[in-house]
Amino acid sequence: MASSALARERRFIHVLAVVLALLTMAPFLWLLQMSFKTNAQVFQFPPPLIFTPTLENYEALWTSGFRQSFLNSLVVAAGATIAPMLLGVPAAYALSRWQARIAGTFSLWILASRMAPPIAFTIPYFLAYRHLELLDTRTGLVIIYMTFNLSLVIWMMRPFFDQLPRALEEAAWIDGATTGQAFLRIILPLSAPGLAATAILCFLFAWNDFFFALILTRTEAMTAPVAVVNFMNYEGWEWGRIAAGGTMVMLPVLLFSLLVRKYLVHGLTGGAVKG
């Protein structure tokens, strides 16, 4: 009797999980199916759930300027992830091992750079970039994303380093390792979940950003989120291409998340929320 009740409870939980997953994925699935429709099918009411899919939206998208914008997003997001990780991870380790009362206050100052709204930084960056000739360049976008991601890296990675006992480094020093060797060969491998979680959050911020890319780029460095908006023009909104562009924009993030999902979940629920 108890076993049958337990089995029914498990089935109910499984059904509930599937329903919640479908509700969560519904916007993406609707966007995906709309990307394979013609404009006539998009505006058809009631919307057809069974139709002959077409690739014309993706073909039109990839033969237009969107391809260059997609490449710009990849380059900028990669640079805005790698550079802050290279600079921020050693900084977080140094703050973690810094024996001073001001260390916690200093970490809060670093995080404060993300507390102000983006509009507060836009005009100073725009004026500086105009004089430095960084407007409409990938380098300019990488710099501004790096300034925001750097504080995120330091704030997220410090709790991971705080959790690692100093005895591990001391044992490495006794064996003749330098501080750098202990950091690279012992500390970093043990912090892999935190590194993965931090890297994907940095990538997401740079990849999904629309505001700075809209203000600081024109044509040469235009990113994919901004390029999608260009399909909304005075002649009408090309919903099929917009849906295809939105699907293409979400695809790299989805693949990246699937590749590091184990580390991401461990990182976000482990050290990243402690301390």
Side-chain angles (χ1 to χ4, degrees), residues 23-62:
L23 289 176
T24 303
M25 293 291 294
F28 172 74
L29 295 176
W30 188 265
L31 184 73
L32 180 63
Q33 61 90 24
M34 193 168 68
S35 68
F36 293 104
K37 290 182 177 180
T38 62
N39 281 334
Q41 291 172 331
V42 168
F43 288 103
Q44 186 176 339
F45 186 84
L49 297 179
I50 300 177
F51 58 92
T52 302
T54 177
L55 295 176
E56 65 177 22
N57 293 320
Y58 289 95
E59 292 174 355
L61 199 70
W62 209 244

Side-chain angles (χ1 to χ4, degrees), residues 51-229:
F51 58 92
T52 302
T54 177
L55 295 176
E56 65 177 22
N57 293 320
Y58 289 95
E59 292 174 355
L61 199 70
W62 209 244
T63 55
S64 65
F66 182 82
R67 179 170 55 182
Q68 182 62 38
S69 299
F70 190 84
L71 178 61
N72 289 339
S73 287
L74 285 177
V75 173
V76 170
T81 301
I82 296 173
M85 293 294 290
L86 291 176
L87 297 174
V89 171
Y93 175 71
L95 282 175
S96 175
R97 296 300 185 256
W98 187 15
Q99 297 293 337
R101 291 184 178 181
I102 197 175
T105 304
F106 190 71
S107 299
L108 184 60
W109 291 346
I110 294 174
L111 184 66
S113 63
R114 294 189 63 90
M115 295 181 180
I119 190 65
F121 300 95
T122 305
I123 295 177
Y125 268 108
F126 184 86
L127 295 177
Y129 278 15
R130 185 177 62 180
H131 291 290
L132 297 174
E133 297 183 353
L134 288 175
L135 286 176
D136 200 19
T137 63
R138 297 174 180 172
T139 303
L141 287 179
V142 170
I143 291 174
I144 193 169
Y145 294 154
M146 184 180 69
T147 58
F148 289 99
N149 281 342
L150 186 59
S151 60
L152 177 66
V153 172
I154 295 174
W155 186 259
M156 287 196 64
M157 288 305 302
R158 184 184 173 186
F160 280 95
F161 296 139
D162 288 341
Q163 288 183 343
L164 299 178
R166 297 174 184 268
L168 295 173
E169 297 154 269
E170 294 171 354
W173 296 339
I174 292 175
D175 291 337
T178 63
T179 302
Q181 290 173 335
F183 174 67
L184 292 175
R185 298 181 180 180
I186 298 176
I187 301 300
L188 282 186
L190 293 176
S191 304
L195 293 172
T198 305
I200 192 171
L201 290 178
C202 290
F203 185 87
L204 283 172
F205 171 77
W207 180 265
N208 293 330
D209 175 71
F210 177 81
F211 183 77
F212 288 116
L214 177 66
I215 301 299
L216 301 177
T217 64
R218 294 294 181 269
T219 55
E220 297 297 326
M222 181 185 297
T223 58
V226 179
V228 171
V229 180

